[in-house]
Amino acid sequence: MTTTLLTALNDQVNHEFYAAYLYLSMSAYFEANNLNGFAHWMKVQAQEEVGHALKIYNFILDRGDKVTLKSIAQPPTEFKSPLDSFQQALQHEKKVTGLINSLYELSLKEKDYPAQVMLQWFIDEQVEEEKNASEIIAKLEMIGDSKGMLLHLDHQLGKRKAEEE
Ligand code: MG
């Protein structure tokens, strides 16, 4: 593939690992605050992000190109509330959606058909990611200060299963 596309894909591997770090930091926050269901949901999400990174990593290697791993930035470590955490998650997913869309545009420009097919999976995935975060934000807004309702949502989120790929 072209150097421009390869650099951008290696950068995306880094962004996906950063997302895993971000969700893991959120998981630690929830665990420390005794919201183990939320913590579980975030840990499953972190694992999914590692899966996203590896999908691109494998694609680069399958194409006979070079994977270049870079340092992962430190994620935030303090969150004001469950709502604050999910708002930050949604904000991050919107950023990732923009990055994926730019990568897709680049793959069109470079006429890299295999990259286009690979990136289509990510385009669908981003719709899911934004929907999931938005739904939980809406529920947290409904819950407001009700501790009982928060514990109910915690129980629900604790049931999240790891996705099979
Ligand atoms: Mg991702």
Side-chain angles (χ1 to χ4, degrees):
M1 70 184 93
T2 63
T3 313
T4 319
L5 184 58
L6 177 59
T7 304
L9 286 176
N10 270 311
D11 284 346
Q12 192 60 34
V13 171
N14 190 265
H15 292 306
E16 300 293 344
F17 275 122
Y18 174 77
Y21 243 35
L22 176 66
Y23 285 119
L24 202 55
S25 187
M26 291 175 177
S27 183
Y29 155 76
F30 282 116
E31 188 96 32
N33 285 281
N34 303 309
L35 290 167
N36 298 334
F38 279 93
H40 168 79
W41 192 97
M42 285 293 180
K43 202 177 274 177
V44 170
Q45 186 62 33
Q47 280 160 350
E48 271 197 14
E49 298 300 342
V50 172
H52 296 169
L54 291 179
K55 224 180 240 287
I56 302 169
Y57 167 102
N58 287 328
F59 178 80
I60 295 170
L61 291 174
D62 288 349
R63 293 286 296 275
D65 283 306
K66 188 175 186 299
V67 165
T68 308
L69 296 178
K70 298 168 188 177
S71 343
I72 304 167
Q74 185 183 10
T77 55
E78 306 290 339
F79 304 95
K80 287 198 272 302
S81 62
L83 181 60
D84 176 47
S85 162
F86 273 91
Q87 280 168 339
Q88 289 196 42
L90 178 60
Q91 207 173 22
H92 182 72
E93 288 305 335
K94 285 183 173 171
K95 187 186 151 191
V96 173
T97 299
L99 291 166
I100 295 290
N101 290 347
S102 300
L103 270 171
Y104 190 74
E105 273 176 42
L106 184 61
S107 69
L108 290 176
K109 191 171 145 247
E110 310 275 0
K111 295 188 162 50
D112 194 308
Y113 304 111
Q116 288 167 27
V117 172
M118 186 272 292
L119 288 165
Q120 272 162 14
W121 182 90
F122 281 88
I123 292 170
D124 284 341
E125 179 68 12
Q126 283 312 117
V127 174
E128 271 301 300
E129 302 288 42
E130 288 193 30
K131 173 178 165 268
N132 291 341
S134 298
E135 279 180 2
I136 296 171
I137 287 171
K139 285 178 184 166
L140 285 168
E141 282 171 347
M142 277 187 257
I143 287 169
D145 290 330
S146 163
K147 293 268 186 286
M149 293 302 288
L150 185 65
L151 286 176
H152 181 70
L153 181 58
D154 184 60
H155 181 72
Q156 291 299 118
L157 296 183
K159 291 180 185 166
R160 181 177 181 181
K161 299 249 190 326
E163 258 176 39
E164 287 170 34
E165 304 267 330

